[in-house]
Amino acid sequence: MKNENLPNTPWDGEMPKVGIRPTIDGRLGGVRESLEEQTMAQARSVQELLSGNLRYPNGQPVQCVIADTCIGGVAEAAQAAEKFRKEGVGVSLTVTPCWCYGSETMDQDPAIPKAVWGFNGTERPGAVYLAAVLAGHTQKGLPAFGIYGKDVQDAGDTSIPEDVSKKLLQFARAGLAVALMRGRSYASIGGVSMGIAGSEVDSAFFENYLGMRVEAIDMTEMLRRMEKGIYDQDEFEKALRWVKANCQEGDDYNTPETRRPREALDKEWIDSVKMALIARDIMVGSPKLTEMGYAEEGHGRNAIIAGFQGQRHWTDHKPNGDFMEAVLNTTYDWNGQRPPYILATENDALNAVTMLFGNLLTGTAQVFADLRTYWSPDAVKRLTDYDLPAPAQSGLLHLINSGPASLDGTGQHSRDGEPVIKPFWEVSEAEAKACYEATTWHPSITEYFPGGGWSTRYLTKGGMPATIARLNLVKGLGPALQIAEGYTVDLPEAVHDALDQRTNPTWPTTWFTPRLDGQGVFRDAYSVMNAWGANHCVMSYGHIGADLLTLASMLRIPVYMHNVEDAAVFRPSSWNAFGTADLEGADFRACANYGPLYS
């Protein structure tokens, strides 16, 4: 249920469900009857696993729908498909302990991610059905994930082995991410920012690969709403009071000649708060606007992600979007804890999509950053006389940018005494406030932003497992994803200051080092930096590379750089037909063969 104290969020409507298809040997007269209870029990155990361990972005438990009967043939398969259509199922999971008639019982919807769990038991050949039906999926061009436990179980065993559970959850997380994107929008507020190719928004990519549309909104729409007061006036006053109480101002790093007077800075706070409210309303709408007589604006753009061009056409005239982007991407504001509104700086739509991937897979806020600098151990030693500790002996990557680095990225949430980034439904009030207490807001550098604005500064706590990722568009190839798992790193204050002060001191910093395996670009940290495909990246909490690989394969987006162990790679079974010795090459060949999911 929606928290009525919150304004609209991107996830207020009906959520897609996981459809569970218990398939069975259709031969009546003793065979099917002996399997009905076991087959349905397997389906119910999967339902309990998924609903008990997965949540939607709004914090509610994932819902599952089980077919009304076991599926022994094409008629029951059609009945299940019709039920799933009415129930809003977006992910299909077939389970069985036995042999079934593959082509008669399989799910043939081409747009829904699908998997099959064939029970590993000797009493009935569930594994034989699994192999047969996966071959059918491959032959018909309907990629499906195969799930088969390593250890034989007894027929009456209703438990789910750990290896099977891991794959069921991994598949469902990624499949729901696909379903949650379908039919939604990217709100492109403005156009191309400072020649950044990622802000040349490609509608065909969104439509063909993600099932989303692009909504183009000129930045004058934001100006119109600011000047005409088209926002919740009461919430604006509440937000401004909250900002004054919780957003602590830091040093003004402008020169005396370029510093702006206090009156101008106060006006910039006012405009910044208005921008945050308006950007949110553009994305998801507001019933308050409808009450005010602006019903069209009240609908919003059905957007689960957005981007704001800002530089330079806006920022040469009005405050930058740093406050708007930072606070919307954070899981806490004047209304309390809530899902992040994913808003990319510089209208970098490709980074916005990468942020969306991370958020849908983890429920957590994402850290948008420049991949600014590689610091070698020798360079750090030369400037600071400091030897980088494990695991950063190969060097550091300096993640730093203004705007949408969510304040959750401070690392002020904790679990078992360790810094983490939690999904909003786990964040306590104290942890939420600590993120703001660890952040200072500085008058933006006037040379960069003549229109003013406020920039955040914080330092991410070290010791967190983290993953950086980036989606790129390659002419002739299409989209391709990069992934690097690693860790955030703590530096002594003097060392941090010596390195950080060499660039813009008003932006948040994360020191990151990739996990190295001695192979390819992951032989050292320099090679990771050197192989990165753009100036931006997204950092997600945790090592989520395997989930990103699974999601990318569902969308037919190849991954050309990652440090996930081969044993953790989980893609549709048909990927094996494109090569088993070179998994990266097989991924490219499979994605090219099948093409975009919605084309």
Side-chain angles (χ1 to χ4, degrees):
M1 296 293 291
K2 174 179 167 58
N3 182 347
E4 296 302 329
N5 294 322
L6 293 177
N8 285 1
T9 77
W11 309 111
D12 290 341
E14 289 295 317
M15 296 288 102
K17 301 178 179 67
V18 178
I20 302 176
R21 307 174 70 255
T23 56
I24 198 167
D25 190 325
R27 291 173 288 190
L28 290 168
V31 177
R32 174 167 179 160
E33 293 89 340
S34 67
L35 295 164
E36 290 276 3
E37 183 177 345
Q38 181 185 358
T39 304
M40 268 298 179
Q42 187 178 356
R44 288 191 293 269
S45 67
V46 172
Q47 180 183 36
E48 292 174 4
L49 173 74
L50 300 184
S51 295
N53 289 276
L54 298 179
R55 294 191 183 224
Y56 294 115
N58 61 11
Q60 297 301 309
V62 162
Q63 297 182 53
C64 299
V65 177
I66 300 177
D68 290 333
T69 68
C70 291
I71 301 169
V74 66
E76 288 165 322
Q79 291 166 10
E82 179 61 16
K83 177 178 182 178
F84 288 178
R85 184 187 66 81
K86 292 178 179 178
E87 292 277 358
V89 164
V91 181
S92 172
L93 178 55
T94 298
V95 302
T96 189
C98 61
W99 168 256
C100 316
Y101 297 170
S103 63
E104 295 183 20
T105 58
M106 65 188 289
D107 179 352
Q108 295 196 20
D109 188 322
I112 293 182
K114 48 186 61 62
V116 183
W117 174 27
F119 185 81
N120 186 359
T122 56
E123 291 84 356
R124 295 285 181 176
V128 179
Y129 169 71
L130 176 64
V133 77
L134 289 176
H137 280 93
T138 299
Q139 186 170 324
K140 296 174 185 295
L142 299 169
F145 291 77
I147 301 172
Y148 180 58
K150 291 182 179 179
D151 298 318
V152 173
Q153 294 178 259
D154 297 332
D157 187 354
T158 60
S159 67
I160 302 178
E162 183 178 353
D163 61 322
V164 172
S165 172
K166 183 177 179 180
K167 287 187 174 181
L168 287 169
L169 292 170
Q170 189 170 336
F171 164 76
R173 270 194 301 269
L176 285 167
V178 171
L180 286 160
M181 287 185 274
R182 189 183 305 129
R184 303 302 298 273
S185 303
Y186 173 75
S188 175
I189 306 174
V192 179
S193 174
M194 301 193 300
I196 294 173
S199 57
E200 296 178 6
V201 184
D202 188 328
S203 295
F205 159 70
F206 277 89
E207 293 166 6
N208 293 335
Y209 283 90
L210 308 181
M212 295 175 60
R213 68 174 71 203
V214 174
E215 290 288 289
I217 303 102
D218 193 273
M219 289 185 293
T220 56
E221 173 61 10
M222 182 166 284
L223 190 63
R224 180 182 76 93
R225 297 192 190 197
M226 291 172 68
E227 292 180 352
K228 292 183 177 293
I230 307 174
Y231 51 86
D232 187 331
Q233 307 284 338
D234 293 335
E235 187 181 1
F236 165 72
E237 296 294 341
K238 174 184 178 182
L240 190 60
R241 289 193 301 270
W242 183 90
V243 165
K244 291 178 179 179
N246 292 277
C247 295
Q248 47 187 326
E249 294 185 13
D251 294 336
D252 188 340
Y253 289 97
N254 287 288
T255 63
E257 296 77 21
T258 59
R259 287 180 182 171
R260 306 184 294 277
R262 185 69 241 180
E263 181 181 4
L265 297 178
D266 291 340
K267 179 63 164 57
E268 290 164 23
W269 272 125
I270 291 171
D271 284 348
S272 295
V273 172
K274 290 179 181 178
M275 290 166 63
L277 296 176
I278 291 168
R280 185 196 69 199
D281 291 346
I282 287 173
M283 291 180 67
V284 299
S286 168
K288 181 66 174 181
L289 299 185
T290 302
E291 293 175 12
M292 294 168 59
Y294 296 101
E296 185 177 356
E297 292 86 346
H299 288 306
R301 299 295 183 127
N302 193 38
I304 54 175
I305 47 175
F308 180 67
Q309 174 193 335
Q311 299 183 75
R312 286 184 44 215
H313 304 112
W314 179 271
T315 58
D316 280 2
H317 174 58
K318 298 293 284 183
N320 63 27
D322 287 14
F323 172 81
M324 167 184 68
E325 293 155 359
V327 77
L328 289 180
N329 278 295
T330 299
T331 55
Y332 179 75
D333 63 15
W334 46 89
N335 291 310
Q337 293 93 318
R338 42 84 178 149
Y341 299 87
I342 298 174
L343 179 60
T345 197
E346 294 160 349
N347 199 26
D348 186 346
L350 299 179
N351 234 43
V353 171
T354 312
M355 294 169 77
L356 178 62
F357 288 175
N359 173 253
L360 293 178
L361 291 171
T362 67
T364 61
Q366 306 294 294
V367 175
F368 181 121
D370 274 0
L371 195 54
R372 183 64 63 90
T373 309
Y374 164 71
W375 279 99
S376 69
D378 288 344
V380 174
K381 180 73 171 177
R382 177 177 64 84
L383 286 172
T384 67
D385 196 32
Y386 178 70
D387 293 312
L388 290 175
Q393 302 99 320
S394 181
L396 293 168
L397 304 185
H398 192 181
L399 310 187
I400 179 172
N401 200 352
S402 60
S406 67
L407 305 194
D408 301 64
T410 56
Q412 295 297 317
H413 308 163
S414 66
R415 186 180 295 122
D416 299 326
E418 298 295 328
V420 299
I421 300 177
K422 295 179 178 179
F424 81 92
W425 57 84
E426 294 182 11
V427 179
S428 69
E429 185 81 8
E431 289 173 323
K433 289 183 176 179
C435 293
Y436 284 84
E437 292 169 358
T439 303
T440 50
W441 302 80
H442 302 259
S444 60
I445 302 301
T446 306
E447 292 94 328
Y448 285 0
F449 303 112
W454 292 89
S455 296
T456 55
R457 187 184 190 196
Y458 67 72
L459 175 62
T460 300
K461 281 189 175 183
M464 293 193 293
T467 302
I468 61 171
R470 166 72 186 186
L471 183 71
N472 297 301
L473 287 181
V474 183
K475 187 174 178 62
L477 171 66
L481 187 65
Q482 295 177 285
I483 300 167
E485 294 182 342
Y487 301 90
T488 62
V489 178
D490 276 327
L491 296 177
E493 184 176 355
V495 176
H496 162 72
D497 285 340
L499 306 183
D500 195 52
Q501 293 288 343
R502 293 170 67 93
T503 186
N504 192 318
T506 66
W507 292 345
T509 279
T510 301
W511 297 110
F512 175 85
T513 191
R515 180 169 51 80
L516 305 174
D517 58 15
Q519 303 295 315
V521 297
F522 288 96
R523 59 186 177 272
D524 53 48
Y526 169 80
S527 298
V528 173
M529 172 78 177
N530 199 42
W532 208 251
N535 56 309
H536 290 156
C537 72
V538 174
M539 190 186 80
S540 304
Y541 173 75
H543 288 161
I544 66 166
D547 283 350
L548 285 168
L549 290 172
T550 297
L551 172 58
S553 68
M554 291 179 178
L555 299 170
R556 321 288 165 74
I557 296 174
V559 179
Y560 68 100
M561 170 181 161
H562 73 82
N563 55 348
V564 178
E565 295 179 357
D566 285 354
V569 175
F570 187 37
R571 292 180 172 126
S573 65
S574 59
W575 262 237
N576 292 324
F578 296 89
T580 57
D582 173 14
L583 298 186
E584 182 173 278
D587 183 34
F588 274 79
R589 291 185 287 273
C591 290
N593 177 71
Y594 290 114
L597 180 58
Y598 301 105
S599 64

